[in-house]
Amino acid sequence: MQLTLNRPPLRGSNILAIVIALITTAVADDHSQLLVFLDEAGHERPVKTPTDWAERVLQIRTNMQLVMGPLPDASRRVSLEVTTVSEESLTKYCRKKIYFTPEPNDRVPA
């Protein structure tokens, strides 16, 4: 069985984003090092301040989008509008069946 991916061709801006992500993330090989970020000179630094953490989050998000594709823009955000369909109390937990809205004009059962 052959797996094919329907992806648009890489454009100049996509290639630039990939290059920037690869350059700015030398710690990408070890995903367990969440508290280490790359400074402007490309040196690994421990996360110690909120500013450091903001930089690390940016590096994580950049790599995530490199793999998964860009996040939807803010215009696509909607209220979750969670609706409880049923609720069942059991010995150690409560089971709820719900629907929520992940994007405009869509409902998901959970």
Side-chain angles (χ1 to χ4, degrees):
M1 179 165 94
Q2 182 178 0
L3 177 65
T4 58
L5 299 175
N6 295 325
R7 291 185 175 199
L10 287 177
R11 305 243 187 265
S13 60
N14 293 5
I15 294 171
L16 179 61
I18 291 169
V19 170
I20 290 170
L22 292 173
I23 290 171
T24 60
T25 312
V27 292
D29 292 337
D30 187 357
H31 301 293
S32 66
Q33 292 190 18
L34 289 178
L35 298 178
V36 175
F37 74 103
L38 295 178
D39 63 15
E40 291 176 3
H43 299 104
E44 289 186 9
R45 302 279 184 227
V47 173
K48 293 183 178 179
T49 67
T51 304
D52 294 345
W53 182 243
E55 181 62 32
R56 181 62 181 130
V57 167
L58 179 63
Q59 291 173 7
I60 292 168
R61 190 170 289 149
T62 299
N63 283 307
M64 181 191 75
Q65 291 184 65
L66 178 64
V67 175
M68 298 172 54
L71 293 171
D73 61 42
S75 69
R76 298 204 36 166
R77 291 188 186 145
V78 295
S79 171
L80 284 179
E81 298 178 17
V82 178
T83 305
T84 302
V85 177
S86 67
E87 190 172 322
E88 182 180 0
S89 293
L90 300 167
T91 306
K92 295 186 178 184
Y93 59 92
C94 177
R95 178 185 299 145
K96 291 184 179 185
K97 293 184 181 180
I98 64 169
Y99 281 95
F100 66 93
T101 305
E103 61 183 358
N105 303 314
D106 193 13
R107 298 287 289 164
V108 175

